[in-house]
Amino acid sequence: MNRVVVTGLGAVTPIGLSAPATWQAMKDGVNGIDRITRFDLTDYKATLAAEVKGFDPLNFGFNKPQARKMDLFTQYAVVAADEAVRDSGIEGKIEPDRFGVYMGSGIGGISTLMCEHGKLLNEGVKKISPFFVPMMIVNMAAGTVAMRHHAEGPSLPVVTACATSTNAIGEAYRAIKHGYADAIIAGGSEAAVNELAVGGFIACMALSSSEDKNRASLPFDKERGGFVMGEGSAVLVLEEYDHAIKRGAKIYAEVVGYGNTNDAYHMTAPNPEAKASAKAIEIAVKEAGIENAGEVYVNAHGTGTALNDKTETAALKKVFGENAYKLKVSSTKSMTGHMLGAAGAVEALASVMTLVDGVVPPTINYKVKDDECDLDITPNKAVKAQKTYALSTSLGFGGHNGCLAFKRL
């Protein structure tokens, strides 16, 4: 079996328009959440989101015609992927048919769907854009990234709700491990802060109704009341170890484990028994060869919903037993909000950089202890801690569970 390493990182997030900016903001505990600016909030019970700020595609190598033909989720994906590929230095140093793209999204081009549906209702069918379908469909981020980087190898647009980009990275890892590619651009993208998506999540009672941005996204806090929507993209370049070494690539960390299960329980709620979510973590831990919980950082899914956080805590205890209290845990969603299909990738990025820098990012805005969420969740301030392993966990609607394991080299 091949070894797989991370050689490139890219990001567009509510707290930074690049991977280094995002990581620095995480270490600094920057809150990316604020009042929604995209639409009229009259009648909306949830008024906060983690929007990407200051993003202009024309500042990232797009011209206006190109930008008009891409939904915002694809724009985010392209910018993050371009950064990751530049960072890796792999362009021109890999055969196209050995270069792949595993880029997912939970929702895809929902803003395009809203726009074109409005045209249909108000102006008639002849006003629908010829680019409507390719702008809307979820696989177009993967397709566009592949075209830009001449990646003719394995291509897979994963769609598993909140677990999307964890699964994308995990499946890319397996493809390289088993010899189907030498490198894969892997991650996720989301741009769903709009009237319809926010309204939909309000309707299923998933969002925080807090109007205080510092008491809205509250992972593991007893006063948590729902997640805060985020948006953006994060991308990792995964590469076969020998291929990376031969070309003199910079290596951030090694991917050493991946678990993928399903609760088979409920459309939106996690199974409170945490059987399948624990199994996903256990699979990744065993594959990685992790034996000492004290060597592990966990970037938790940590959405700030009542059920998710206590279920995830229970899952970690099922896997590590009493040693779970030796884990260093945090939820960076306290800063980025829940980036849905991009969440797993930005949290994988945080996991990798924790190993590189020896700094555990905080769970900010934490005040009130919950006895059912009693692990060390790194409250409010980053701490220095050189860990050997990092786990990144994701629990998605539909019961999807994913866990990635990384190792410091």
Side-chain angles (χ1 to χ4, degrees):
M1 297 291 180
N2 296 321
R3 294 173 65 186
V4 182
V5 293
V6 180
T7 59
L9 300 172
V12 175
T13 75
I15 55 175
L17 298 182
S18 68
T22 294
W23 173 236
Q24 186 61 52
M26 285 180 175
K27 291 189 292 183
D28 292 342
V30 173
N31 189 350
I33 295 164
D34 214 328
R35 190 171 173 83
I36 294 170
T37 64
R38 303 268 174 84
F39 55 88
D40 182 359
L41 294 168
T42 302
D43 296 331
Y44 280 77
K45 292 181 180 179
T47 60
L48 300 176
E51 298 175 336
V52 170
K53 303 157 191 73
F55 179 83
D56 183 345
L58 303 185
N59 293 333
F60 292 94
F62 292 86
N63 58 42
K64 288 183 179 180
Q66 288 173 326
R68 282 197 298 267
K69 296 173 186 177
M70 292 184 200
D71 186 89
L72 187 58
F73 94 99
T74 298
Q75 293 179 17
Y76 288 158
V78 167
V79 171
D82 284 357
E83 181 189 5
V85 170
R86 283 195 309 272
D87 185 40
S88 74
I90 198 170
E91 199 90 81
K93 298 178 182 178
I94 186 170
E95 292 299 320
D97 64 350
R98 300 291 297 171
F99 197 20
V101 179
Y102 281 37
M103 179 71 67
S105 180
I107 298 177
I110 190 169
S111 293
T112 294
L113 175 64
M114 284 181 58
C115 176
E116 298 305 316
H117 184 247
K119 290 180 184 178
L120 174 66
L121 295 180
N122 298 318
E123 302 177 71
V125 67
K126 292 183 179 179
K127 292 296 183 179
I128 295 174
S129 169
F131 298 103
F132 166 46
V133 171
M135 288 175 68
M136 176 192 66
I137 53 180
V138 175
N139 69 302
M140 197 48 62
T144 303
V145 168
M147 286 183 276
R148 284 177 73 87
H149 298 288
H150 310 289
E152 299 174 2
S155 182
L156 188 66
V158 175
V159 184
T160 50
C162 313
T164 289
S165 48
T166 292
N167 290 145
I169 294 166
E171 297 302 326
Y173 156 67
R174 285 182 176 169
I176 297 170
K177 181 178 179 179
H178 289 276
Y180 296 103
D182 292 327
I184 295 177
I185 303 165
S189 187
E190 208 76 83
V193 181
N194 60 39
E195 299 95 316
L196 182 60
V198 173
F201 280 113
I202 290 171
C204 69
M205 298 183 290
L207 297 186
S208 168
S209 59
S210 173
E211 295 187 358
D212 179 356
K213 68 180 184 180
N214 296 315
R215 294 299 293 163
S217 184
L218 304 176
F220 305 110
D221 190 299
K222 192 170 185 177
E223 294 183 352
R224 64 191 183 276
F227 73 81
V228 176
M229 282 185 66
E231 62 171 355
S233 177
V235 174
L236 282 63
V237 173
L238 304 189
E239 189 169 352
E240 194 275 322
Y241 176 79
D242 289 335
H243 189 277
I245 291 295
K246 286 177 183 177
R247 69 179 186 86
K250 168 182 60 183
I251 294 175
Y252 286 98
E254 184 173 3
V255 190
V256 289
Y258 167 54
N260 173 16
T261 65
N262 194 288
D263 284 356
Y265 171 75
H266 189 272
M267 290 171 64
T268 58
N271 188 329
E273 294 183 3
K275 180 181 176 182
S277 51
K279 186 65 175 180
I281 298 168
E282 180 186 10
I283 292 167
V285 165
K286 285 187 175 180
E287 186 177 10
I290 296 171
E291 297 180 350
N292 181 359
E295 295 182 326
V296 180
Y297 163 64
V298 180
N299 189 297
H301 190 57
T303 59
T305 59
L307 291 177
N308 176 92
D309 295 3
K310 69 178 183 180
T311 300
E312 189 168 12
T313 301
L316 289 168
K317 289 179 179 178
K318 278 181 179 289
V319 175
F320 291 98
E322 284 299 311
N323 289 326
Y325 292 99
K326 298 179 181 179
L327 300 167
K328 288 295 293 183
V329 182
S330 67
S331 172
T332 47
K333 286 186 180 72
S334 59
M335 296 175 272
T336 66
H338 191 346
M339 292 167 58
L340 307 178
V346 76
E347 291 157 16
L349 183 155
S351 300
V352 167
M353 290 308 301
T354 293
L355 298 179
V356 172
D357 277 4
V359 176
V360 174
T363 305
I364 68 168
N365 300 325
Y366 181 81
K367 287 186 178 181
V368 184
K369 183 179 178 180
D370 183 344
D371 289 338
E372 292 185 292
C373 302
D374 60 347
L375 301 181
D376 179 0
I377 55 95
T378 320
N380 300 315
K381 290 186 179 181
V383 297
K384 291 184 178 180
Q386 188 64 75
K387 298 297 181 180
T388 303
Y389 297 96
L391 299 175
S392 181
T393 58
S394 295
L395 287 66
F397 281 8
H400 297 283
N401 304 301
C403 182
L404 295 165
F406 300 94
K407 184 177 182 180
R408 177 168 56 92
L409 291 179

